[in-house]
Amino acid sequence: MRRAAPAVTALAAALALAGCGAGEGSAGPELSVSAAYMPQPVAADMAAGFLTVTNKGGGPDELTSVSSDIGKVTMHSTTGGAMAERASFEVPAHGRLVFRSGADHLMFEQLKERPRQGRTVTLKLGFAKSGPLTVEMPVRSATYNPSTGH
Ligand code: CU
């Protein structure tokens, strides 16, 4: 059995913050997902996906799992052009975890069907502290660039 003391302390801190009207978010993580997209894959059985997890809260969290019913999903980091699978990514307090083209990304493999532009892929993100988030990831053109919007 594990004691829940740290969680109780965090909750007390959150309540204290709320009580004094600081209004600067809670002591724990407060996550939301934006900018999700998948470029229509050129390969039949493999695709990349990108999204941003924003943490407005005062505590860090960790993305520990990504799943989808279209196939297997893994998280990859890209360092100096080499990519490596990672078991988790930190979502810093008052910060963001960004998966973007040419950098850290999600990798979809063993696809049951090839995602087509205009369709949506449903993902489930699991975190160390926060509850799971469901993301509807639109499939864009193969050459989609989020900074130009096409
Ligand atoms: Cu990869």
Side-chain angles (χ1 to χ4, degrees):
M1 277 232 314
R2 282 203 284 164
R3 303 287 300 274
V8 171
T9 307
L11 180 61
L15 289 172
L17 269 179
C20 75
E24 268 299 299
S26 69
E30 257 181 69
L31 306 183
S32 60
V33 176
S34 60
Y37 76 98
M38 171 186 285
Q40 180 173 283
V42 286
D45 60 348
M46 193 182 264
F50 309 108
L51 54 80
T52 298
V53 182
T54 300
N55 184 359
K56 286 197 298 177
D61 207 337
E62 246 179 283
L63 176 63
T64 53
S65 71
V66 184
S67 60
S68 169
D69 53 13
I70 70 157
K72 177 175 172 245
V73 192
T74 49
M75 299 179 264
H76 288 189
S77 64
T78 303
T79 317
M83 74 178 187
E85 186 172 340
R86 291 250 306 260
S88 66
F89 277 89
E90 198 197 353
V91 191
H94 302 296
R96 297 189 305 170
L97 165 62
V98 180
F99 291 104
R100 62 187 165 82
S101 183
D104 300 341
H105 56 277
L106 304 177
M107 195 85 125
F108 296 74
E109 292 165 276
Q110 299 159 21
L111 298 179
K112 289 174 192 157
E113 78 180 82
R114 191 165 174 172
R116 299 282 174 192
Q117 185 175 351
R119 302 285 289 277
T120 299
V121 173
T122 303
L123 298 184
K124 197 167 207 182
L125 308 186
F127 298 93
K129 294 176 188 159
S130 305
L133 292 177
T134 299
V135 179
E136 300 295 331
M137 174 177 271
V139 182
R140 306 290 194 189
S141 72
T143 56
Y144 180 75
N145 180 336
S147 57
T148 61
H150 51 137

